[in-house]
Amino acid sequence: MTPTPKRFAALRSRARTTGAACAVLATVVPAFTLGLGAAPAAAAPLPGGLGPCVPGDCPDPFPDANNGPIAGRDDGINIFVGDDFLVRGRAAEAEGRVVVLDDFDQNKNTEAGGLYNLGIVGVGSRVAPPVDSDFLAAGGNVTIAPGQTLDTTGGLVDELGTVRYAGTQTGTVTGRTIQDDDATAPYVGLRDELTAASQCYARPDGTTRTPTGTAVNEGYRTLFTGDGASSLQVFNVDFDLVNPNSPNGSQDIQFTGIPDDATILVNVVGENRVINTTSGSATLGQYRERLLWNLPDATTASFIGSGQFQSSVLVGEQASMTTVSLPGMNGRFFTTGSLTHTSDNAGVELHAYPFDGDLPDCNGPQTVTGAVSVLKTDAETGDPLAGADFELWRETNDTPGLQTDGAEPDTHVSDCTTPANGVCSDTTTVGTYYWRETEAPDGYNLPDPNVFGPLVLTEDNADQGVQVEAVNSQTPVPPVTGEVRVRKTDSDTGDPLAGADFELWRETNGVDGLQTDGTDPDTHVSDCTTPANGVCTATTIPGTYYWREIEAPDGYDLPDPDVFGPLTLTEDNAEDGVQAEAVNNRTAVPPVTGEVRVHKTDAETGDPLAGADFELWRETNNTPGLQTIGINPDTHVSDCTTPANGICSDTTTPGTYYWRETGAPDGYELPDPNVFGPLTLTEDNAEDGVQIEAVNTKEPVPPVTGSLTLDKTDAKNGQPLPGAVFELWRESNDVPGLQTTGGNPDTLADAGCSTDEDGHCTFDDLPLGEYYLREIAVPEGYVLPANPVSGPFEVTEENSEEGVTVELANDRGEPCKGKDCKDDTHKAARG
C-alpha cells in the first residue's frame, strides 16, 4: 500500500473539525433534508440512517428497472464517495442523490456521446431525488470535459436538479449549479462512521465476525449456503468471485438456506478484490433490499461482468479505488475512498434502490484512527532508503510478538514499498502493530530480525501517530556480470552486416521503454560499431538494457523503430548472456518519375483556359485506347482542374497515359472526342515530361431578341378593338420607309396577327432591328386608316427585355358602333 495521500489526511482533518457541527445540525434540521433519517429503535441500520428510502415519496415496493414515469421521490443518499468520483469510458448514468466529499470529474470516451445522467436516469427504479433538491453535492471541484454534459434533468423540462459544489465548476451542467463552501459539510462525518461500521461488520472487537453460513467458489458459481434460521445471515469471503475456468472469468452468484426477510451480510476481506458476475434480477433480485456486500480492507475493488448486480455495497478503506463496470448496480453504493464508473461497453448504470436490512449494532462512539509508520534508513549515513518492502500487521491473537502463519496468525493490514523519504505509513484504528520488512532495498541486507515493533496506537497518541525506525546495512557483494549483445543482419539474406553504429543504454528511470533525453533519461553505457560478424557486445551488470542503432551500414536504411530490447540480464542468465536480433533493409532506389501534362487552350485565341476538369488514366489492360468502364478498365490515376495557366500535371512513373476531359470551362463546349493521348512517359523523357494540347471551342451565344405588342383601340372612346389584322415587316433593304413589293422589298416578319378581345396583338422572338406594322383588315364598322403603315419601331438590346408597345386607334365607318351607341343616337336626335 502506498503512503496515504495528503488529500485523505485533509478530509479526515475536516471530518474531525466539523463533527460537532454535524451533530448540532442533526438535532435542529429535519432528517430528510440531509438524507440522514433516523432508524427505528429495533433496527441497526448503516451509520447516519443511510440505507432506507427517506420520504419524499417512497414507492412500496421499489419497481424493477424500467423506463416508465417517475415512480417516487427519495431524499436519502444513494451514492456516497469519500474521495473522488471519476466518470470514464462509456459510463451512462447514476440514479438518486450523489454525495462526493472531494472532486467529481467526468471525462468519458468521446465515442460514447459525452452525456452522463445524474439523479434522474433513463432506465432504473425511476425513483429520483425531490425536485429542486441537491442531486449532486461535491466537497471539491465539479469538472466536465469539453464537449460533454452532466445532465440532472432527465430530459424533463420541469425537473431541475441542483449541483452544489465547494470548489470550482467547469464544463457543461444541465440543471442548477450553486457554489457553496459548505456543500458537503452535513455529510463529512459519514466517512469515518462508514469506515468504522465496515470494520465492525467484519471484525467486532478486532476479531472476525462469526459466520452463519459458508461461501464456496465452485468455478461456474459461488454458492452461499445459509443456516436457514438466523435473521442475520453472515458470510465471510476471502477470495475473488471469479471463474478461473472461464475465458472472461465470470460466474453466477447464488444463495440458499436464507430465511424469508433475513438480512444478508457478505464480508469480502482482503486488499485487492474482484467480483466478476453474470448474476442479475433472476438470481439476486429477491434479496436486493436486504443484501449488503461489505469490503473493509480493499484498497482496490472491481465489480465487473455482464450481470445486473442486485444489492448494496459498502467499501470501508479510505485509501481505496473501486471500479464499477457492470451493466447495472442496483442498490446503495457507499465507499469511503474513490469510485471510477467506467466500461468499454455502452450503458453502464448505477440505479437507486434502498437497503432495508437490519445490521449488527455498530453505532457506538466514532472510531479513533492514527498513523502507524516505519522509517527506513541506511545504517552508516542515516539517510532514508527507498525500495524496502514492508507488511503491516495488527496484533489480534493475544500471543506476544508477531505470528504471520500457523493456525491463528495475527492480521495482515497492508503492504508498502518505501518511497524517497523512506517512510511507510498507514492510518488505522487503535491497537498494537508490527512492521515486517520482506525485501531490502537493492544493495542492502534484510535485517535479522526483520520485524519492528510492537507499536501501540492509543486514543491519546492517535493525533501524533506512532513510528519505528528500521536500519539496513549495505551488502558488499561483487557484481555478477554478463554479455549484452546485438546481432545485425541483412533482412533478405540473413547475412551479418558490418558498419552499424549502436549505443547501449541501461533502464534506470523506472519508465517503460528507452528515454535518451529529457530531465530524467535512462543511462548511456557504451558505443559499438558492428564488425564482420555483425555482433556488438558489452559485458555489464544485471539489469534491463536497450540497443539503439544510430547509423545503418552503407546502402541500408535505419530501422524504424531503431531501439532493440528490452533485454533483461539476470544472475540466472548472466553466464549465457542476452542477445537481440536487429535486421536492416537495403535502401530502395527511388523510381524514375516524370510529369504527364495537358495544356488547355481556347480554339480561336490560343489563350490558356482555367476550369477544365480532367481525369488522368494509365494504360493497364493492354487494350488500345482508353477504357474507363467494364470488367477490365484502365487505371484511374488522379483528377485535376486546370488553373490559370491551363495546365494539369501529375508526377508519376513511366507508362502510357490518357487525359480525359470531364467538364469544360464555363462558356466552352466539351470536345468530342474528350480523350487526349496516348502519352508515353519513359525513363529517357521523364526529365522533360510529356504534354498534349487540348483545345476548347466557345459555346454559341444565342442572339438577343425582343417583342412588339400592338394595343388597338376605338379612336372615339378608347375601348379595345378585337379583330384588327396586321402584318409585321422588318426593315432590310436600307431604303427609308416600308417597301412590300419590287425587286428589293423589306422582309415580311409575320404574315398576320389579329388583335384579341383586349385589342392586343404580340409579335415575339424578334431579332434586333426596325419594324413596320401594316394594317390589312379592320373590325366590322371601322375604317382602314388612310396610311395603314405605322413605324418604324426599333427593337434594341436595351428594350429587348420589356419589349416595344405600339398604340393604334381605328375610326368608325358607320354610326352607332361601339359601346356608346345609344348615347351617339340621342345626340344625333337632339342635334
Side-chain angles (χ1 to χ4, degrees):
M1 152 175 197
T2 57
T4 303
K6 291 182 179 179
R7 60 183 178 185
F8 295 158
L11 286 170
R12 279 192 291 277
S13 174
R14 181 165 54 191
R16 287 195 293 269
T17 58
T18 58
C22 288
V24 173
L25 282 171
T27 63
V28 298
V29 180
F32 69 86
T33 64
L34 301 179
L36 310 178
L46 289 157
L50 293 173
C53 177
V54 178
D57 174 20
C58 297
D60 188 14
F62 268 56
D64 289 333
N66 68 96
N67 62 351
I70 296 296
R73 300 287 178 175
D74 180 3
D75 207 24
I77 299 172
N78 189 56
I79 300 170
F80 176 88
V81 181
D83 195 11
D84 295 334
F85 189 157
L86 309 179
V87 178
R88 298 292 187 265
R90 294 176 176 266
E93 45 195 26
E95 190 171 36
R97 172 165 293 145
V98 178
V99 173
V100 181
L101 294 190
D102 209 336
D103 295 336
F104 180 91
D105 185 292
Q106 177 181 328
N107 189 1
K108 296 176 55 178
N109 184 333
T110 55
E111 295 179 358
L115 178 67
Y116 191 76
N117 297 315
L118 187 144
I120 302 175
V121 301
V123 174
S125 68
R126 300 293 286 167
V127 178
V131 177
D132 295 334
S133 68
D134 288 357
F135 281 24
L136 169 63
N141 302 326
V142 173
T143 304
I144 312 302
Q148 300 188 22
T149 299
L150 175 66
D151 183 13
T152 63
T153 69
L156 305 175
V157 295
D158 56 347
E159 297 282 349
L160 282 178
T162 297
V163 174
R164 188 180 301 273
Y165 57 94
T168 61
Q169 186 261 315
T170 56
T172 301
V173 175
T174 303
R176 181 184 296 107
T177 58
I178 298 176
Q179 199 287 326
D180 180 355
D181 290 346
D182 295 325
T184 56
Y187 315 111
V188 171
L190 287 174
R191 192 180 194 220
D192 284 345
E193 292 177 23
L194 288 170
T195 293
S198 179
Q199 285 293 330
C200 171
Y201 297 154
R203 302 181 186 91
D205 302 323
T207 59
T208 302
R209 184 172 294 277
T210 302
T212 61
T214 60
V216 179
N217 189 331
E218 299 176 347
Y220 74 98
R221 71 175 180 179
T222 290
L223 178 61
F224 293 84
T225 304
D227 64 5
S230 301
S231 60
L232 176 64
Q233 296 286 316
V234 178
F235 299 93
N236 295 329
V237 177
D238 61 356
F239 53 82
D240 291 335
L241 278 74
V242 299
N243 184 352
N245 303 316
S246 170
N248 59 18
S250 60
Q251 64 170 208
D252 196 9
I253 296 174
Q254 295 182 13
F255 287 86
T256 186
I258 307 297
D260 293 343
D261 298 327
T263 298
I264 305 172
L265 172 61
V266 180
N267 292 314
V268 183
V269 298
E271 298 170 43
N272 303 288
R273 281 291 168 250
V274 177
I275 297 177
N276 185 350
T277 180
T278 58
S279 292
S281 56
T283 53
L284 295 181
Q286 60 183 313
Y287 308 116
R288 176 174 59 209
E289 294 171 17
R290 295 177 289 110
L291 171 58
L292 177 68
W293 296 78
N294 176 41
L295 289 75
D297 312 320
T299 54
T300 61
S302 299
F303 291 83
I304 61 178
S306 59
Q308 286 282 337
F309 203 68
Q310 304 285 343
S311 62
S312 294
V313 173
L314 170 60
V315 181
E317 174 54 59
Q318 296 185 9
S320 64
M321 171 59 79
T322 302
T323 300
V324 173
S325 59
L326 279 164
M329 294 290 287
N330 298 273
R332 303 302 199 199
F333 198 97
F334 304 136
T335 174
T336 63
S338 292
L339 171 63
T340 298
H341 194 199
T342 184
S343 176
D344 291 335
N345 300 315
V348 294
E349 303 164 0
L350 297 161
H351 297 152
Y353 287 94
F355 174 74
D356 295 326
D358 296 335
L359 294 166
D361 187 0
C362 293
N363 295 325
Q366 183 172 328
T367 301
V368 175
T369 61
V372 179
S373 307
V374 60
L375 171 62
K376 168 58 62 177
T377 58
D378 183 290
E380 295 182 7
T381 65
D383 294 335
L385 294 179
D389 293 339
F390 279 95
E391 298 170 344
L392 179 63
W393 292 77
R394 179 183 177 96
E395 173 62 59
T396 55
N397 64 1
D398 296 329
T399 300
L402 173 62
Q403 292 79 44
T404 62
D405 52 19
E408 189 178 356
D410 291 311
T411 300
H412 180 208
V413 178
S414 61
D415 297 303
C416 175
T417 300
T418 55
N421 67 359
V423 176
C424 275
S425 180
D426 197 352
T427 298
T428 184
T429 56
V430 296
T432 299
Y433 294 88
Y434 301 89
W435 284 103
R436 179 185 180 220
E437 187 172 358
T438 58
E439 187 169 347
D442 290 344
Y444 288 82
N445 290 322
L446 193 67
D448 186 13
N450 64 334
V451 175
F452 303 90
L455 295 91
V456 181
L457 184 69
T458 67
E459 293 187 5
D460 293 336
N461 64 23
D463 282 341
Q464 294 78 31
V466 289
Q467 180 172 296
V468 67
E469 184 172 359
V471 296
N472 283 65
S473 300
Q474 293 187 8
T475 306
V477 177
V480 173
T481 60
E483 287 187 350
V484 179
R485 300 181 297 272
V486 62
R487 181 171 178 261
K488 170 60 60 178
T489 57
D490 182 293
S491 61
D492 293 329
T493 66
D495 294 337
L497 294 179
D501 293 338
F502 281 94
E503 297 172 343
L504 179 63
W505 291 77
R506 179 184 175 95
E507 172 63 57
T508 55
N509 62 0
V511 179
D512 289 342
L514 173 61
Q515 292 81 42
T516 62
D517 51 20
T519 58
D520 186 21
D522 292 312
T523 300
H524 180 207
V525 177
S526 61
D527 300 299
C528 174
T529 300
T530 55
N533 67 356
V535 178
C536 274
T537 300
T539 300
T540 184
I541 59 175
T544 298
Y545 293 88
Y546 302 88
W547 286 103
R548 179 186 181 213
E549 187 172 355
I550 58 174
E551 187 169 347
D554 290 343
Y556 287 82
D557 291 330
L558 194 66
D560 184 12
D562 58 354
V563 175
F564 303 91
L567 295 98
T568 302
L569 184 69
T570 66
E571 292 187 4
D572 293 335
N573 64 22
E575 184 175 352
D576 296 328
V578 288
Q579 180 171 306
E581 299 295 323
V583 296
N584 281 62
N585 296 319
R586 291 183 180 272
T587 302
V589 178
V592 174
T593 60
E595 286 189 349
V596 179
R597 301 181 295 273
V598 61
H599 184 210
K600 170 58 63 177
T601 58
D602 183 291
E604 295 181 6
T605 66
D607 294 336
L609 294 180
D613 294 332
F614 281 95
E615 297 172 343
L616 180 62
W617 291 77
R618 181 183 179 99
E619 173 62 56
T620 56
N621 64 1
N622 297 321
T623 301
L626 173 62
Q627 293 79 44
T628 63
I629 57 176
I631 61 173
N632 186 25
D634 292 311
T635 300
H636 180 207
V637 178
S638 61
D639 299 298
C640 174
T641 300
T642 55
N645 67 357
I647 295 177
C648 273
S649 177
D650 196 345
T651 299
T652 184
T653 56
T656 298
Y657 295 88
Y658 301 88
W659 285 103
R660 179 180 178 231
E661 187 170 356
T662 58
D666 290 343
Y668 287 83
E669 296 180 326
L670 191 67
D672 185 11
N674 64 334
V675 174
F676 304 91
L679 296 90
T680 303
L681 183 69
T682 66
E683 293 187 4
D684 293 335
N685 65 21
E687 184 174 354
D688 297 327
V690 289
Q691 180 171 307
I692 195 166
E693 300 295 319
V695 297
N696 280 65
T697 303
K698 289 185 176 179
E699 293 178 343
V701 179
V704 177
T705 61
S707 64
L708 188 148
T709 300
L710 169 66
D711 185 5
K712 170 62 75 171
T713 59
D714 184 301
K716 185 171 184 179
N717 59 20
Q719 294 297 315
L721 288 183
V725 180
F726 285 85
E727 293 175 343
L728 180 68
W729 290 78
R730 177 174 178 167
E731 172 61 57
S732 61
N733 60 2
D734 296 328
V735 178
L738 174 63
Q739 293 80 42
T740 62
T741 59
N744 186 23
D746 290 313
T747 301
L748 180 64
D750 195 308
C753 175
S754 178
T755 57
D756 60 17
E757 291 300 321
D758 295 324
H760 294 160
C761 183
T762 300
F763 302 92
D764 290 316
D765 297 324
L766 300 179
L768 303 184
E770 293 183 348
Y771 291 87
Y772 298 92
L773 287 169
R774 182 182 182 203
E775 191 168 0
I776 59 175
V778 296
E780 183 181 356
Y782 290 85
V783 295
L784 196 66
N787 181 8
V789 176
S790 55
F793 306 108
E794 189 171 5
V795 176
T796 67
E797 190 169 344
E798 288 75 14
N799 63 28
S800 62
E801 186 172 349
E802 66 271 12
V804 177
T805 301
V806 177
E807 296 180 357
L808 297 175
N810 279 78
D811 293 324
R812 301 176 186 177
E814 299 177 22
C816 199
K817 288 292 182 181
K819 182 178 178 183
D820 298 327
C821 177
K822 293 182 179 180
D823 292 341
D824 292 343
T825 303
H826 293 321
K827 290 177 184 178
R830 289 196 299 271

